[in-house]
Amino acid sequence: MSQLPTWAEHPGHDKTAPLTGPGRGPEPAVAEWLTNLQRRSDKPLRILDVGAGRGDLVAWLCSNGFEHSYGVEPNLQYVANSQSYFGGVGLGRDRIQPFLANGKYPYEDGSFDVVHSNQVVEHVEDIDAFCEEISRVTRRGGEGLHIFPAKWEPIEGHMHMPLAHWFPKGRVRRTWIKFALWTGQAAPYFSDLDLDDRTEVFHRFSGDETFYRTGRAFSQALATYGMDSDRRSIVRAKLRHHGFPPILAPAFAAFREAYVTTRKR
C-alpha cells in the first residue's frame, strides 16, 4: 500500500514536467479583467499567482504585457520545474518561489496590486490562513480574483467522478469512490492497478488534498481579513464570453465559484 503512486503521478498532470515555453493563458474573461485593471492603472501592475505550479500562467502573463508577474507555490518540484525556463528567458530563476517554512509567502506586506488563484481554494485546508496571507501581500485598494469549483458541483472535477465530494470523508466516501471506479464513472487514471489499490489512490487524494467549501464561507473568511468580495461582475463576464445570457448566472455559479476581491484595510 505504501508504494502506491501519488495523485500527481497521473498522466496529464503536466506540472511534474519542466516548463518549456510560455504557458497557457487565462480564460478570456480573466484576461479581459486584467487588461481593464491595467488600463485604469498609472503604473504596471504587480501580479501574484498563488498556487502557480510550474509557472504556466506567470510565463504567459510575462509574454503578454504583464512583465511584473510572479508566482508562489508550495510544491518544491513544481518550483524546480519552472527555473530553467524563467532563467533562460531572462526573467530570473526565482520568478516562481516556494512558500516559507511557516506557510507564509516570501513577499513583503502590500507587495502586489493583484493576487490571483485558479483551482486552488479547493486544495486549501486552512482557509483563514489563506485569506490572511493573500490580504497581507495585497496593497490597500489592490484587487484579486479567485476561481474554484463550487461545493455542490455534481461532478468532482479532479477525479471526474459524480458526487464524490458530497460524501463525508472517511469510509462512506471511500465506498462511493470504489463503486464509481468499478462502474467506470471516474477518470481513467491508474487503470493498471487493481480496484482496491486504485480506490486507495483516489481516496487518499480526495481525503488529503481536497477541501470543498461554499462561496459564502470563502467570502466570510475574506471579510475577516479586510477583503471585500463580489462574484457578480466576473460571473457575468464569464457568461458573456461563453455566449450565455446573464439570467443563467445562478446556474453557472452552481458549477464554479469566482470572486473579485478588494483589500479595504
Side-chain angles (χ1 to χ4, degrees), residues 163-241:
L163 310 181
H165 54 304
W166 290 23
F167 292 95
K169 291 184 177 182
R171 182 178 299 177
V172 173
R173 185 179 295 191
R174 191 184 195 283
T175 299
W176 176 257
I177 288 172
K178 186 172 185 177
F179 173 77
L181 289 170
W182 180 59
T183 55
Q185 301 180 75
Y189 308 147
F190 311 110
S191 56
D192 56 318
L193 300 177
D194 65 33
L195 180 59
D196 285 340
D197 284 350
R198 197 172 173 219
T199 298
E200 183 64 19
V201 173
F202 276 70
H203 183 241
R204 285 182 185 179
F205 166 74
S206 182
D208 297 344
E209 300 185 45
T210 66
F211 305 91
Y212 286 89
R213 55 181 52 86
T214 63
R216 182 178 181 181
F218 180 58
S219 183
Q220 289 174 337
L222 287 168
T224 300
Y225 298 99
M227 304 283 282
D228 284 354
S229 59
D230 164 58
R231 73 188 311 203
R232 290 173 296 178
S233 59
I234 192 65
V235 166
R236 287 171 179 168
K238 287 161 73 71
L239 286 170
R240 185 176 69 253
H241 280 284

Side-chain angles (χ1 to χ4, degrees), residues 26-37 40 114-118 143-148 218 222 228-246 248-250 252-253 256-262:
E27 59 182 297
V30 175
E32 177 184 73
W33 179 77
L34 285 168
T35 299
N36 289 338
L37 282 183
R40 298 200 305 265
V114 179
V115 176
H116 167 272
S117 73
N118 187 10
E143 298 194 37
L145 177 58
H146 305 279
I147 302 170
F148 55 98
F218 180 58
L222 287 168
D228 284 354
S229 59
D230 164 58
R231 73 188 311 203
R232 290 173 296 178
S233 59
I234 192 65
V235 166
R236 287 171 179 168
K238 287 161 73 71
L239 286 170
R240 185 176 69 253
H241 280 284
H242 286 295
F244 298 140
L248 293 179
F252 181 90
R256 191 74 62 209
E257 300 282 7
Y259 285 85
V260 170
T261 63
T262 305

Side-chain angles (χ1 to χ4, degrees), residues 61-204:
L61 289 170
C62 290
S63 298
N64 286 272
F66 299 96
E67 295 86 357
H68 301 280
S69 297
Y70 302 84
V72 64
E73 167 59 48
N75 187 303
L76 297 180
Q77 182 59 56
Y78 299 169
V79 174
N81 287 340
S82 77
Q83 293 175 342
S84 178
Y85 171 79
F86 285 108
V89 297
L91 292 170
R93 290 174 62 84
D94 61 351
R95 181 67 51 150
I96 309 299
Q97 296 220 33
F99 287 16
L100 299 177
N102 60 2
K104 300 290 187 180
Y105 307 159
Y107 300 103
E108 299 294 326
D109 295 2
S111 294
F112 294 95
D113 304 297
V114 179
V115 176
H116 167 272
S117 73
N118 187 10
Q119 312 304 300
V120 170
V121 170
E122 78 273 21
H123 298 301
V124 173
E125 182 172 10
D126 188 341
I127 197 61
D128 285 286
F130 176 84
C131 291
E132 181 178 20
E133 196 62 1
I134 63 173
S135 177
R136 181 186 69 79
V137 298
T138 305
R139 67 167 175 81
R140 186 171 297 180
E143 298 194 37
L145 177 58
H146 305 279
I147 302 170
F148 55 98
K151 179 177 176 63
W152 303 116
E153 180 178 4
I155 304 295
E156 201 284 337
H158 303 283
M159 300 185 295
H160 303 174
M161 184 179 291
L163 310 181
H165 54 304
W166 290 23
F167 292 95
K169 291 184 177 182
R171 182 178 299 177
V172 173
R173 185 179 295 191
R174 191 184 195 283
T175 299
W176 176 257
I177 288 172
K178 186 172 185 177
F179 173 77
L181 289 170
W182 180 59
T183 55
Q185 301 180 75
Y189 308 147
F190 311 110
S191 56
D192 56 318
L193 300 177
D194 65 33
L195 180 59
D196 285 340
D197 284 350
R198 197 172 173 219
T199 298
E200 183 64 19
V201 173
F202 276 70
H203 183 241
R204 285 182 185 179

Side-chain angles (χ1 to χ4, degrees), residues 27-67:
E27 59 182 297
V30 175
E32 177 184 73
W33 179 77
L34 285 168
T35 299
N36 289 338
L37 282 183
Q38 185 59 81
R39 286 174 180 161
R40 298 200 305 265
S41 177
D42 58 1
K43 60 183 179 63
L45 294 175
R46 285 181 56 84
I47 301 172
L48 179 66
D49 186 29
V50 178
R54 62 180 184 174
D56 290 86
L57 177 62
V58 173
W60 184 91
L61 289 170
C62 290
S63 298
N64 286 272
F66 299 96
E67 295 86 357

